[in-house]
Amino acid sequence: MDPLDFLELEEMLRFLHCNKTEISCMESPVIFLCKLKDYNLISEDRFKKVSRMKKKEKGLYDILDWFEEKKSEHIKLFWKCAFKETVLSHNPKLQMLRKSLMDGSYHFDTQLPEKVETEDNGEKEKTEHSEEEVRKENSVKKKRKYSKSICDEEDEQPGPSGLSTSAQKKSKKICFTPPMKKGEKGEIWTWPLYKSQLPVTCGQMSGTLQRDKLAKGEKCILANKQWFAPGEFERFAGKQSCKNWKLSIRCGGTPLGKLIKEGHLKTVAYKGGNKKAKKILFSLEEATTESEKEEDDEEDQDSSSDEPTTDEEEAEEQTVQQPEAGLSNTKVFKVTCGGLAGTLHKKRFASGTLGKSIRTETSWMTPVDFCKESGPTNVSWKKDIRWDGKPLSALMEAEILKIHSLLCACPLCKPDPEDLENEKNDDDCCICKNEEEDQELVVCEECPRSFHQKCHLPHVDDIILNDDSPWLCTFCVFRANHVCLDQLDVNAVMSQQISQHMMQCQYLLLSLRSADEEQMFSPDPMGYLANYSTSIKSPMWLGKVTEKLQQKQYQTVGEFVSDVQLIFANCATFNRGNPEILAIGNQLRELFDSEFKKAFNIQDQ
């Protein structure tokens, strides 16, 4: 017997109205939402938005509110979906609601007060103000800027003078928010008062920037009765590890690079630019492995950056670095401890308990935490953690890894709350592996991954960033929703509309691009491989598949799979004489095949 056959539409609506809170607190909301989406009662966008929420109660309540107001004519179909056996079996609260209709314990004659649409102006303004503060706080947590390097040896060693010691304090990751909107009073660089000069800051240091001197490439910042070039002012403020004054020096919280890009400031290339380009050729850690005297000499040389570097100096430095050109240039080491595996990142390493330097699939950990996670171990983390069959202490004895001094004041050893928050996620995009400092990274609240807005699928809009709800990446959303997928066979999957399986296809494509460490299959091969177009008649690459998927050019899952398989077929044809590239292509193909079966819940025949 179906209790809905004995109810009027008005009674069904009232039953929903009085039980929205109970429904929103159900145990398995994703299964319920899937059923509503299957019957076209909610849109794909609403389904995805609530699925990405870490706490889904409010999102589900909003959907119920919206349905009651906009889709009331489909209320009977709504309750039929809610009382389906697959939904009821996972949600005891819905079972109780259905039982109250069956046994007559629910009474429809209860009178409700009139619905209140508005509230007092004073309370409304106070509520809006409070919500705005919470939204801003969550928005700042959700996004941050990429920082190329966290710490170098100059930050590790205590300085020989009071000036260098103070410069080491409170060095932190580059992290800034966008400037205020145009027209607001915060844009002081547009005020007539600051037509010729601007107040600037770098860390805890303040100064005054002369616009005309900056445009001429002269020393343009006055601080403590001294004139500094921008790079010198950055070092004077203790931010030398940033290596980019356009990001570290700010006016009213806005980086100078932003003002230069928007045309508010004019500048020319400062002398000594070759110095910076030269240093990129060598590992930053290697350049500071000599004695304290040599470090001081290097600081003095950097402070006089108005003179270009000669070819003799560059050749001399290259000769010094040559003996350590092997492992010392390696930035990431694959490590294990018992049955647990991870990757140790050199620039994040400080000591056993400081600096979350080891990344697993689920989180960043310190070496000591990595050992605890693996289970019972020996006394020393240096011996328990293994690299290439050797204990981690071997890398320390070879001075590849260096434990920071007890007096070190870098962000790893003396982190502030912002630094600790940044350590939870990757420093670069897990898809494109790009290290562009101007690109903003969006961090997942559930896993350690970070993404550029346009690298993630679907693309992350600014509206989502400003939303006050936690943001989850597609990897985490797929893992949370995978449990409610029915078993399918390959032929059935290929013929289905891709709009019903967009999340699975986005997950598959992100998995391939993330596994493509060298980014060989992402760009257009005709742009960097000679004679490619003569050998391959139908070129295809992961970047093209991403573009077509984002623009909804595929109609069925089979069309999407055909393009991906075309990439691997082209790789096998073009690289017949290159077994190394052929092996990488085969690995990606095998990854796609296994993840495809997992994504669509296909059982092996």
Side-chain angles (χ1 to χ4, degrees):
M1 182 179 68
D2 191 348
L4 300 177
D5 295 336
F6 301 93
L7 297 178
E8 300 292 336
L9 294 181
E10 183 180 349
E11 291 176 324
M12 295 182 192
L13 276 173
R14 189 172 181 182
F15 190 56
L16 171 63
H17 180 80
C18 295
N19 292 284
K20 285 186 290 186
T21 302
E22 286 78 2
I23 298 174
S24 64
C25 296
M26 67 172 62
E27 288 77 0
S28 300
V30 173
I31 297 177
F32 176 58
L33 290 172
C34 287
K35 185 60 68 176
L36 293 181
K37 185 170 72 74
D38 291 343
Y39 281 82
N40 297 328
L41 293 178
I42 61 173
S43 64
E44 184 78 19
D45 292 339
R46 288 182 182 274
F47 172 77
K48 287 183 177 180
K49 182 177 180 180
V50 177
S51 299
R52 292 180 186 280
M53 293 182 178
K54 201 168 186 178
K55 296 183 178 180
K56 298 180 174 57
E57 291 85 351
K58 183 180 183 303
L60 182 53
Y61 189 92
D62 290 341
I63 284 183
L64 298 175
D65 230 2
W66 168 83
F67 186 89
E68 181 186 8
E69 182 178 351
K70 302 291 186 182
K71 293 274 191 176
S72 57
E73 67 273 16
H74 301 299
I75 185 63
K76 187 170 184 178
L77 182 58
F78 170 88
W79 284 117
K80 283 186 177 294
C81 291
F83 293 157
K84 288 286 186 181
E85 186 62 33
T86 53
V87 180
L88 287 174
S89 62
H90 291 85
N91 293 285
K93 285 185 172 61
L94 288 178
Q95 296 176 19
M96 294 176 60
L97 291 177
R98 188 175 188 276
K99 183 180 179 182
S100 69
L101 293 177
M102 294 285 291
D103 58 17
S105 60
Y106 182 83
H107 299 286
F108 289 94
D109 56 353
T110 305
Q111 294 295 323
L112 298 178
E114 292 187 10
K115 186 176 181 181
V116 179
E117 297 290 348
T118 60
E119 55 187 347
D120 295 339
N121 289 337
E123 293 182 4
K124 186 174 182 180
E125 291 177 2
K126 183 176 179 181
T127 303
E128 289 177 352
H129 181 70
S130 176
E131 290 178 353
E132 181 67 20
E133 288 181 351
V134 173
R135 188 178 296 108
K136 288 182 179 179
E137 180 181 351
N138 289 331
S139 178
V140 170
K141 270 187 65 179
K142 198 178 292 183
K143 52 186 177 180
R144 64 183 173 91
K145 278 284 183 174
Y146 171 79
S147 175
K148 189 171 184 181
S149 62
I150 298 177
C151 173
D152 54 29
E153 291 294 323
E154 292 175 356
D155 291 325
E156 295 175 18
Q157 301 296 335
S161 64
L163 176 63
S164 60
T165 303
S166 64
Q168 295 167 358
K169 293 181 180 178
K170 295 187 179 179
S171 174
K172 60 179 70 174
K173 265 187 181 177
I174 301 172
C175 182
F176 59 84
T177 55
M180 298 181 180
K181 295 180 179 179
K182 292 185 177 180
E184 292 185 355
K185 292 184 177 181
E187 294 188 339
I188 62 175
W189 49 85
T190 61
W191 295 2
L193 176 65
Y194 296 110
K195 185 176 181 180
S196 60
Q197 61 186 26
L198 285 175
V200 294
T201 59
C202 185
Q204 303 298 317
M205 195 65 62
S206 301
T208 302
L209 182 144
Q210 294 289 333
R211 290 174 180 256
D212 57 341
K213 290 181 178 290
L214 177 68
K216 296 176 182 177
E218 301 175 355
K219 294 186 177 183
C220 58
I221 300 178
L222 180 63
N224 286 4
K225 299 181 180 181
Q226 299 181 56
W227 284 98
F228 298 93
E232 295 172 346
F233 182 66
E234 180 184 56
R235 286 186 289 275
F236 182 66
K239 295 290 185 179
Q240 61 269 22
S241 61
C242 295
K243 302 294 183 184
N244 191 339
W245 59 267
K246 292 181 181 180
L247 292 179
S248 61
I249 302 178
R250 307 181 180 210
C251 174
T254 302
L256 294 190
K258 186 83 172 176
L259 302 185
I260 294 171
K261 184 177 181 181
E262 294 178 354
H264 298 295
L265 290 177
K266 296 181 180 179
T267 184
V268 296
Y270 273 77
K271 294 181 180 180
N274 293 337
K275 177 80 172 179
K276 183 177 180 182
K278 180 194 71 175
K279 281 197 169 185
I280 295 176
L281 297 174
F282 309 102
S283 172
L284 183 61
E285 290 83 352
E286 295 173 13
T288 55
T289 54
E290 303 298 322
S291 63
E292 270 191 22
K293 179 177 181 300
E294 290 176 345
E295 290 178 2
D296 296 338
D297 292 340
E298 185 176 340
E299 288 181 2
D300 294 339
Q301 185 178 2
D302 284 346
S303 65
S304 59
S305 61
D306 290 337
E307 297 180 6
T309 309
T310 64
D311 294 338
E312 290 81 1
E313 291 173 336
E314 189 166 343
E316 181 180 352
E317 181 171 342
Q318 187 171 359
T319 303
V320 172
Q321 308 304 330
Q322 193 63 35
E324 288 190 319
L327 285 176
S328 58
N329 287 330
T330 304
K331 298 179 181 179
V332 180
F333 300 89
K334 293 183 179 180
V335 294
T336 58
C337 185
L340 189 62
T343 53
L344 187 148
H345 294 247
K346 186 176 180 180
K347 66 179 181 180
R348 281 187 172 226
F349 178 78
S351 67
T353 56
L354 295 175
K356 292 183 178 180
S357 55
I358 299 180
R359 188 194 189 282
T360 65
E361 182 64 24
T362 57
S363 64
W364 282 91
M365 305 179 186
T366 64
V368 170
D369 291 337
F370 184 67
C371 290
K372 292 179 180 178
E373 185 74 14
S374 67
T377 57
N378 296 325
V379 178
S380 175
W381 57 271
K382 300 178 184 178
K383 296 180 180 179
D384 292 333
I385 299 177
R386 312 287 293 184
W387 161 78
D388 196 25
K390 310 178 188 66
L392 202 61
S393 57
L395 292 176
M396 300 175 192
E397 293 171 0
E399 297 188 349
I400 306 302
L401 291 179
K402 299 178 183 179
I403 296 180
H404 290 200
S405 164
L406 293 176
L407 301 178
C408 179
C410 75
L412 294 175
C413 299
K414 302 291 183 183
D416 60 18
E418 184 180 359
D419 295 323
L420 292 174
E421 189 69 24
N422 285 342
E423 284 188 8
K424 295 179 181 179
N425 290 87
D426 299 339
D427 295 320
D428 53 6
C429 175
C430 76
I431 302 301
C432 70
K433 317 297 189 296
N434 204 332
E435 298 186 358
E436 292 183 8
E437 296 179 355
D438 293 337
Q439 291 286 333
E440 191 173 72
L441 289 176
V442 186
V443 299
C444 179
E445 300 281 348
E446 189 73 17
C447 73
R449 297 180 180 90
S450 299
F451 303 84
H452 292 133
Q453 288 180 248
K454 300 299 182 184
C455 288
H456 185 267
L457 286 176
H459 293 342
V460 183
D461 297 328
D462 293 334
I463 297 177
I464 296 178
L465 288 183
N466 296 326
D467 190 4
D468 58 357
S469 59
W471 181 81
L472 302 182
C473 69
T474 295
F475 289 101
C476 295
V477 174
F478 171 79
R479 187 168 62 248
N481 297 335
H482 184 59
V483 293
C484 63
L485 297 177
D486 297 329
Q487 289 187 6
L488 299 170
D489 60 70
V490 177
N491 294 330
V493 170
M494 292 297 189
S495 60
Q496 290 189 2
Q497 293 293 309
I498 198 171
S499 58
Q500 301 297 320
H501 300 283
M502 188 62 72
M503 180 184 65
Q504 291 97 313
C505 295
Q506 290 170 343
Y507 166 78
L508 288 170
L509 196 49
L510 287 177
S511 298
L512 285 178
R513 297 196 64 183
S514 178
D516 184 15
E517 292 288 344
E518 302 299 328
Q519 295 294 288
M520 290 187 294
F521 297 88
S522 292
D524 184 355
M526 293 181 291
Y528 63 92
L529 291 177
N531 301 324
Y532 189 84
S533 57
T534 59
S535 304
I536 304 299
K537 301 304 180 185
S538 301
M540 186 56 62
W541 56 98
L542 291 177
K544 182 67 174 179
V545 178
T546 301
E547 180 182 338
K548 293 177 68 175
L549 186 65
Q550 182 68 19
Q551 296 177 358
K552 300 181 180 179
Q553 296 182 21
Y554 295 116
Q555 299 299 317
T556 65
V557 175
E559 293 177 8
F560 165 76
V561 173
S562 295
D563 272 358
V564 175
Q565 291 176 341
L566 179 60
I567 297 175
F568 303 132
N570 291 345
C571 173
T573 301
F574 188 78
N575 296 286
R576 290 173 181 170
N578 193 337
E580 183 178 352
I581 303 298
L582 199 58
I584 296 175
N586 289 334
Q587 289 176 0
L588 279 183
R589 178 178 52 78
E590 292 172 1
L591 172 67
F592 178 78
D593 292 341
S594 63
E595 291 298 322
F596 179 79
K597 293 179 181 178
K598 172 183 173 183
F600 290 96
N601 202 10
I602 297 174
Q603 300 296 323
D604 292 330
Q605 299 297 330

